[in-house]
């Protein structure tokens, strides 16, 4: 093996370039990861008083769940309830047309925002903490006297679909689950 000052300089330069490439890749990965887990709250604020369907504000909280408001659209008294769970980088306002369609068919409907979405501060955990938030929403709606707490369904999209499946596995009150584009 031939060792010289020229080879040492070349090796040092190659290692320096490799180190810069590794640092650049790690920075890019860090910024990308931060962009995923911090989708940026501050979407459209929903004023329930401006919505059709006689909506009511419901407070949602629980262990490890930051207090937030949901919007409950009453359907048939004592009828089944559907909790709508939005996806990553979305918010409850995107589900209002779906909520209206369910309510028109006599379902009670609850929409709310996960942490880091809509007007709720925080970061997302891509479904892990969102499952607890969804279970807190189910608890909040089950405590209402105008719904049947044993007839609750969840409709979820993307991250909300993941949370819906995880929540349904742990809560026997959830009798129906509809998911769209769930990830593993």
């Amino acid at each position: 093996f031939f060792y010289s000052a020229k080879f040492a300089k070349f090796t040092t330069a190659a290692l320096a370039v490799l180190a810069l490439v590794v640092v650049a890749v790690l920075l890019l990965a860090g910024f990308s990861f931060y962009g995923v887990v911090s989708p940026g709250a501050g979407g459209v604020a929903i004023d329930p008083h401006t919505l059709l369907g006689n909506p009511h504000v419901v407070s949602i909280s629980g262990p490890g769940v930051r207090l937030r408001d949901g919007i409950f659209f009453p359907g048939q008294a004592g009828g089944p309830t559907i909790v709508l769970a939005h996806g990553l980088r979305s918010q409850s306002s995107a589900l209002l047309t779906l909520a209206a369609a369910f309510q028109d068919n006599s379902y009670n409907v609850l929409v709310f925002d996960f942490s880091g979405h809509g007007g709720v501060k925080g970061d997302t955990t891509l479904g892990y903490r969102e499952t607890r938030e969804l279970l807190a929403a189910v608890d909040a709606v089950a405590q209402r006297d105008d719904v049947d707490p044993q007839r609750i369904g969840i409709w979820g999209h993307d991250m909300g679909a993941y949370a819906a499946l995880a929540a349904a596995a742990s809560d026997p009150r959830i009798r129906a689950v509809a998911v769209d584009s769930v990830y593993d």
Side-chain angles (χ1 to χ4, degrees), residues 132-144:
R132 286 187 300 197
E133 295 172 358
L134 185 55
L135 287 169
V138 168
D139 286 339
V141 79
Q143 292 175 10
R144 294 182 59 91

Side-chain angles (χ1 to χ4, degrees), residues 72-81 103 105-108 146-148 151:
F72 179 79
F73 294 89
Q76 180 182 11
T81 302
Q103 187 187 30
N105 287 287
S106 300
Y107 289 96
N108 298 301
D146 56 348
V147 302
D148 182 351
R151 295 173 64 198

Side-chain angles (χ1 to χ4, degrees), residues 1-2 37 43 47 52 56 109 128 155 158 160 166 175:
F1 184 77
F2 181 75
V37 298
D47 181 6
L52 298 175
H56 305 279
V109 183
Y128 177 71
W155 179 94
D158 187 44
R175 300 296 181 111

Side-chain angles (χ1 to χ4, degrees), residues 24 60 64 89:
I60 300 169
R89 297 184 185 262

Side-chain angles (χ1 to χ4, degrees), residues 11-156:
T11 304
T12 303
L15 288 175
V17 168
L18 180 63
L20 285 174
V21 168
V22 167
V23 168
V25 167
L26 288 175
L27 281 173
L28 182 62
F31 283 122
S32 297
F33 180 73
Y34 179 77
V36 168
V37 298
S38 299
V44 177
I46 302 173
D47 181 6
H49 300 96
T50 63
L51 299 174
L52 298 175
N54 193 27
H56 305 279
V57 175
V58 174
S59 293
I60 300 169
S61 66
V65 177
R66 178 178 283 149
L67 178 66
R68 75 209 54 219
D69 287 336
I71 301 175
F72 179 79
F73 294 89
Q76 180 182 11
T81 302
I82 300 174
V83 179
L84 302 180
H86 63 79
L88 183 65
R89 297 184 185 262
S90 185
Q91 57 191 15
S92 60
S93 63
L95 301 174
L96 292 179
T97 55
L98 184 59
F102 283 132
Q103 187 187 30
D104 285 346
N105 287 287
S106 300
Y107 289 96
N108 298 301
V109 183
L110 177 70
V111 296
F112 71 100
D113 287 317
F114 288 120
S115 291
H117 296 81
V120 182
K121 297 202 183 303
D123 295 327
T124 182
T125 58
L126 304 176
Y128 177 71
R129 184 181 56 229
E130 289 77 6
T131 301
R132 286 187 300 197
E133 295 172 358
L134 185 55
L135 287 169
V138 168
D139 286 339
V141 79
Q143 292 175 10
R144 294 182 59 91
D145 58 358
D146 56 348
V147 302
D148 182 351
Q150 298 302 316
R151 295 173 64 198
I152 297 175
I154 300 176
W155 179 94

